[in-house]
Amino acid sequence: MRVRRIKYGRQRIDRSDRKAVAEVLRSDWLTQGPYIERFERQIAEHVEAKFAVAFSSASAALHGAAWTLGLGPRDLGITSPLTFVASTNAFRHVGARVGVVDITQDSWNLDLRLIPEKATAVMPVHFAGLPVNLEKWEPSGQRPKVIEDASHALGAITPSGPVGNCAHSDVTCFSFHPVKPITTGEGGIAVTQNYELFERLRRFRNHGIIRDRGDETWQYEIAEEGFNYRMSDIHAALGLSQLKKLQKFVSIRNEQALFYRDRLSALGIGLPPLPQAGFLHGYHLFPVLLQNRDFLFREMRRRGIGVQVHYVPVNELAVNQDMNTATTELPVTQDVYSKILSLPIHPGLSQGDLNFVVAVLEELHPPGLRTAGRQ
Ligand SMILES: *Cc1c(COP(=O)(O)O)cnc(C)c1O
């Protein structure tokens, strides 16, 4: 049996990244210095947002967004079931109730039409890097607060512009975990077009400290509690260096996806939804649908291929037992979850790696077993 060590996602670090980090170590600041501000400014420019606040993780940024928008026990936050637990935790951390609605067949993103009128907050998750289509979304009741969990989608584009320009949201959060589009080691960022939200995000990140008289006094005030959710300059320097490669990374991911689509459609494997006109997919993940998923998970892992299941639906986790499933049934989620498997996709993969993944699927995916996935 041939074996090749391949991960489903991995950082790609080069000499310029290492040099950037080494430079910070020789400077005066290791945290909250000039690299943080530069990183924030460049991310904001990149996604066409006015303001950006770097955090120690996307989970922290999402918590910050929920707090900044004033969510609390009176609120009901709705998100997608097909997401990481950080999405629902962000609502929980501020005491809000959480709920999910089913995903759509043709996006695997939350079905906006199912969001109940009583929802006061919505967290669209751009699953796998495919932006949620918010273009024509008209909430049935009062407009809820909207936080985009764009952890998968830095570099993705919508007809309204880059994900992160908050054309249909209050705050958008990105992750820089090593498997995400670019990395800072650990890290995240919240972007917004609203100055007041920006100020609150900054305060929340730094214990709630208000220094409205600058450096001319030692005094400061804390009106509301915050956290130490700061990103360090060491992380920000890596992020700045990585950001230069974002476009290249996203285009490599798109080429890899094209290769998989071409080779796997012949096997009758269910392919991930395609972006609609005007959208660019980020392809953080390449999840496919397989009738014999459990078998393939084991067999591909045995051959060194680090496939993964994204995600155990968040409503099935014990922490979310009390969850308000806004629609009682999640038929599409259940069907997708029973077959879904993320294949390796990241800029460090060679053509040999991709060929190996396809060859293993050709060997193990029995013809004649057609999946429910279309295309
Ligand atoms: C990775 C991820 C997060 C959390 O990101 P961290 O930076 O690791 O905290 C949140 N939501 C989704 C959908 C993610 O994939």
Side-chain angles (χ1 to χ4, degrees), residues 276-315:
Q276 290 178 279
F279 287 85
L280 177 69
H281 203 311
Y283 284 113
H284 160 59
L285 300 172
F286 195 85
V288 295
L289 300 185
L290 301 159
Q291 290 292 359
N292 50 350
R293 190 268 316 271
D294 297 5
F295 167 76
L296 280 166
F297 176 87
R298 282 192 309 272
E299 287 304 309
M300 292 181 85
R301 285 261 178 120
R302 274 203 331 134
R303 286 163 171 76
I305 304 174
V307 288
Q308 188 55 283
V309 173
H310 297 98
Y311 292 95
V312 175
V314 281
N315 51 293

Side-chain angles (χ1 to χ4, degrees), residues 56-62 82-87 123 125-127 149-152 174-177 179-180 186-188 284 310-311:
S56 51
S57 68
S59 305
L62 289 165
L82 212 56
T83 188
F84 185 54
V85 70
S87 307
M123 187 180 295
V125 181
H126 307 302
F127 179 70
D149 182 346
S151 295
H152 298 183
F174 296 98
S175 171
F176 306 120
H177 177 277
V179 297
K180 303 292 162 76
E186 294 279 6
H284 160 59
H310 297 98
Y311 292 95

Side-chain angles (χ1 to χ4, degrees), residues 216-230:
E216 63 189 69
T217 166
W218 65 87
Q219 285 175 326
Y220 62 87
E221 183 53 285
I222 295 189
E224 296 166 285
E225 65 190 81
F227 286 77
N228 176 356
Y229 272 165
R230 296 187 302 257

Side-chain angles (χ1 to χ4, degrees), residues 15 21 132 143 146-147 155 167 190 217 221 223 263 308 315 321 372:
R15 264 189 68 210
V21 171
V132 177
R143 185 183 175 279
V146 181
I147 303 167
T217 166
E221 183 53 285
R263 298 295 298 275
Q308 188 55 283
N315 51 293
Q321 249 177 17

